[in-house]
Coordinates of all heavy atoms in Angstrom, one line a residue:
K13 N 13.2 18.8 13.9 CA 13.9 19.2 12.7 C 14.6 18.0 12.3 O 15.4 17.4 13.1 CB 14.9 20.4 13.0 CG 15.6 20.8 11.8 CD 16.5 22.0 12.0 CE 17.2 22.4 10.7 NZ 18.2 23.5 10.9
N25 N 14.9 17.3 18.5 CA 13.7 18.0 19.1 C 14.2 18.5 20.5 O 15.4 18.5 20.8 CB 12.6 16.9 19.3 CG 13.1 15.6 20.0 OD1 14.0 15.7 21.0 ND2 12.5 14.5 19.8
A28 N 16.2 15.6 22.8 CA 17.5 14.9 22.4 C 17.6 15.0 20.9 O 16.8 15.6 20.1 CB 17.3 13.5 22.9
I32 N 19.6 7.9 12.9 CA 19.2 6.6 12.4 C 19.9 6.5 11.0 O 19.7 7.4 10.2 CB 17.6 6.6 12.2 CG1 17.0 6.9 13.5 CG2 17.2 5.2 11.7 CD1 15.5 7.1 13.4
T44 N 3.1 14.8 11.9 CA 2.6 16.1 12.4 C 3.2 17.2 11.4 O 4.1 17.0 10.6 CB 3.1 16.5 13.8 OG1 2.9 17.9 14.1 CG2 4.7 16.2 13.9
I54 N 15.8 15.3 1.9 CA 14.8 14.8 0.9 C 15.5 14.1 -0.3 O 15.1 13.0 -0.7 CB 13.8 15.8 0.5 CG1 13.0 16.4 1.7 CG2 12.9 15.4 -0.6 CD1 12.1 17.5 1.3
K61 N 15.5 5.6 -2.5 CA 14.0 5.1 -2.6 C 13.3 4.9 -1.3 O 12.5 3.8 -1.0 CB 14.0 3.8 -3.4 CG 14.7 4.0 -4.8 CD 14.6 2.6 -5.6 CE 15.3 2.8 -7.0 NZ 16.7 3.2 -7.0
G75 N -0.2 12.8 1.6 CA 0.6 12.8 0.3 C 1.9 12.0 0.6 O 2.3 11.6 1.7
I100 N -4.2 -7.6 -22.3 CA -3.4 -8.0 -21.0 C -3.9 -7.3 -19.8 O -3.9 -7.7 -18.7 CB -2.0 -8.0 -21.3 CG1 -1.2 -8.7 -20.0 CG2 -1.5 -6.5 -21.4 CD1 -1.6 -10.1 -19.8
T114 N -10.7 -13.2 -2.8 CA -10.2 -14.3 -2.1 C -9.8 -13.9 -0.7 O -10.1 -14.5 0.3 CB -9.0 -15.0 -2.8 OG1 -9.4 -15.4 -4.0 CG2 -8.4 -16.1 -2.0
K123 N -12.2 -14.2 10.7 CA -12.4 -13.1 11.7 C -13.9 -13.2 12.3 O -14.1 -12.9 13.3 CB -12.0 -11.8 11.2 CG -10.5 -11.7 10.9 CD -9.7 -11.8 12.1 CE -8.2 -11.5 11.9 NZ -7.3 -11.6 13.1
M132 N -17.5 -16.0 -2.6 CA -16.8 -16.9 -3.5 C -17.5 -16.9 -4.8 O -16.8 -17.1 -5.9 CB -16.6 -18.2 -2.9 CG -15.7 -18.2 -1.7 SD -14.1 -17.4 -1.9 CE -13.3 -18.5 -3.1
K161 N -24.8 -4.5 9.1 CA -25.5 -4.2 7.9 C -25.8 -2.6 7.8 O -26.1 -2.1 6.7 CB -26.9 -4.9 7.8 CG -26.7 -6.4 7.6 CD -28.0 -7.1 7.4 CE -27.7 -8.6 7.1 NZ -29.0 -9.3 6.9
R165 N -19.2 2.8 3.9 CA -17.8 3.3 3.8 C -17.8 4.8 3.8 O -16.7 5.4 4.1 CB -17.2 2.8 2.5 CG -16.7 1.3 2.7 CD -15.4 1.3 3.6 NE -14.3 1.8 2.9 CZ -13.4 2.8 3.4 NH1 -13.7 3.2 4.6 NH2 -12.4 3.1 2.8
I171 N -14.1 3.6 12.5 CA -13.8 2.3 11.6 C -13.3 2.8 10.3 O -12.3 2.4 9.8 CB -15.0 1.4 11.5 CG1 -15.3 0.8 12.8 CG2 -14.7 0.4 10.4 CD1 -16.6 0.0 12.9
Y179 N -5.2 2.1 4.4 CA -5.2 2.1 3.0 C -4.2 3.1 2.5 O -3.5 2.9 1.4 CB -6.6 2.4 2.4 CG -7.6 1.3 2.6 CD1 -9.0 1.6 2.6 CD2 -7.2 0.0 2.8 CE1 -9.9 0.6 2.8 CE2 -8.2 -1.0 3.2 CZ -9.6 -0.6 3.1 OH -10.5 -1.6 3.4
L185 N 3.1 2.7 0.0 CA 4.1 1.5 -0.2 C 4.0 1.2 -1.7 O 5.2 0.9 -2.3 CB 3.6 0.3 0.6 CG 4.4 -1.0 0.4 CD1 5.9 -0.9 0.7 CD2 3.7 -2.0 1.3
F186 N 2.9 1.1 -2.4 CA 2.8 0.7 -3.8 C 3.3 1.7 -4.7 O 3.7 1.4 -5.8 CB 1.5 0.0 -4.1 CG 1.3 -1.3 -3.6 CD1 0.6 -1.6 -2.3 CD2 1.9 -2.5 -4.2 CE1 0.5 -2.9 -1.8 CE2 1.7 -3.7 -3.7 CZ 1.1 -4.0 -2.4
R188 N 5.8 3.7 -4.0 CA 7.2 3.5 -3.9 C 7.7 2.4 -4.8 O 8.6 2.6 -5.6 CB 7.7 3.4 -2.5 CG 9.2 3.2 -2.3 CD 9.7 2.8 -1.0 NE 9.4 1.4 -0.6 CZ 9.7 0.8 0.5 NH1 10.4 1.5 1.3 NH2 9.4 -0.4 0.7
A192 N 10.2 2.7 -7.9 CA 11.4 1.9 -7.8 C 11.7 1.0 -8.9 O 12.8 0.7 -9.3 CB 11.4 1.2 -6.5
E218 N -4.7 -3.4 -4.3 CA -6.0 -3.9 -4.1 C -6.0 -5.3 -3.3 O -6.6 -5.6 -2.3 CB -6.9 -4.1 -5.4 CG -7.3 -2.8 -6.0 CD -8.2 -2.0 -5.1 OE1 -8.9 -2.6 -4.2 OE2 -8.4 -0.8 -5.3
R221 N -5.4 -4.9 0.5 CA -6.4 -4.3 1.4 C -6.9 -5.2 2.4 O -7.1 -4.8 3.7 CB -7.5 -3.7 0.6 CG -7.3 -2.5 -0.3 CD -8.5 -2.1 -1.0 NE -8.3 -0.9 -1.8 CZ -8.6 0.3 -1.5 NH1 -9.2 0.6 -0.3 NH2 -8.5 1.3 -2.3
D225 N -7.9 -4.6 6.6 CA -9.2 -4.9 7.2 C -9.2 -5.8 8.4 O -9.7 -5.5 9.4 CB -10.1 -5.5 6.0 CG -10.3 -4.7 4.8 OD1 -10.1 -3.5 4.9 OD2 -10.5 -5.4 3.7
T235 N -11.6 4.9 20.5 CA -11.0 6.1 19.9 C -10.1 5.7 18.7 O -9.7 4.5 18.6 CB -10.2 6.8 21.0 OG1 -9.1 5.9 21.4 CG2 -11.1 7.2 22.2
H238 N -3.3 8.1 18.3 CA -1.8 7.8 17.9 C -1.6 6.3 18.0 O -1.0 5.7 17.1 CB -0.9 8.6 18.8 CG 0.6 8.4 18.4 ND1 1.2 8.8 17.2 CD2 1.5 7.5 19.2 CE1 2.4 8.3 17.3 NE2 2.7 7.6 18.4
T269 N 4.5 -6.9 -6.8 CA 4.5 -5.7 -7.8 C 5.4 -6.0 -8.9 O 5.0 -5.9 -10.1 CB 5.1 -4.5 -7.1 OG1 4.2 -4.1 -6.0 CG2 5.1 -3.3 -8.1
S271 N 6.1 -9.0 -10.0 CA 5.5 -10.0 -10.8 C 4.3 -9.6 -11.7 O 4.1 -10.1 -12.8 CB 4.9 -11.2 -9.9 OG 3.8 -10.7 -9.2
N277 N 4.3 -7.1 -19.2 CA 5.3 -7.0 -20.2 C 5.4 -8.3 -21.0 O 5.7 -8.3 -22.2 CB 6.8 -6.7 -19.6 CG 6.8 -5.3 -19.1 OD1 6.2 -4.4 -19.7 ND2 7.5 -5.2 -18.0
I284 N 1.9 -13.8 -12.3 CA 1.6 -12.9 -11.0 C 1.7 -13.8 -9.8 O 1.1 -14.9 -9.8 CB 0.3 -12.3 -11.2 CG1 0.1 -11.4 -12.5 CG2 0.0 -11.4 -9.9 CD1 -1.3 -10.8 -12.6

Side-chain angles (χ1 to χ4, degrees):
K13 180 178 180 180
N25 56 31
I32 306 169
T44 173
I54 295 174
K61 302 180 178 64
I100 188 59
T114 299
K123 297 294 186 181
M132 295 308 293
K161 293 188 176 180
R165 278 289 288 129
I171 293 174
Y179 294 156
L185 172 60
F186 283 98
R188 182 187 70 173
E218 295 297 338
R221 285 179 182 263
D225 304 335
T235 61
H238 179 73
T269 299
S271 76
N277 290 322
I284 304 177

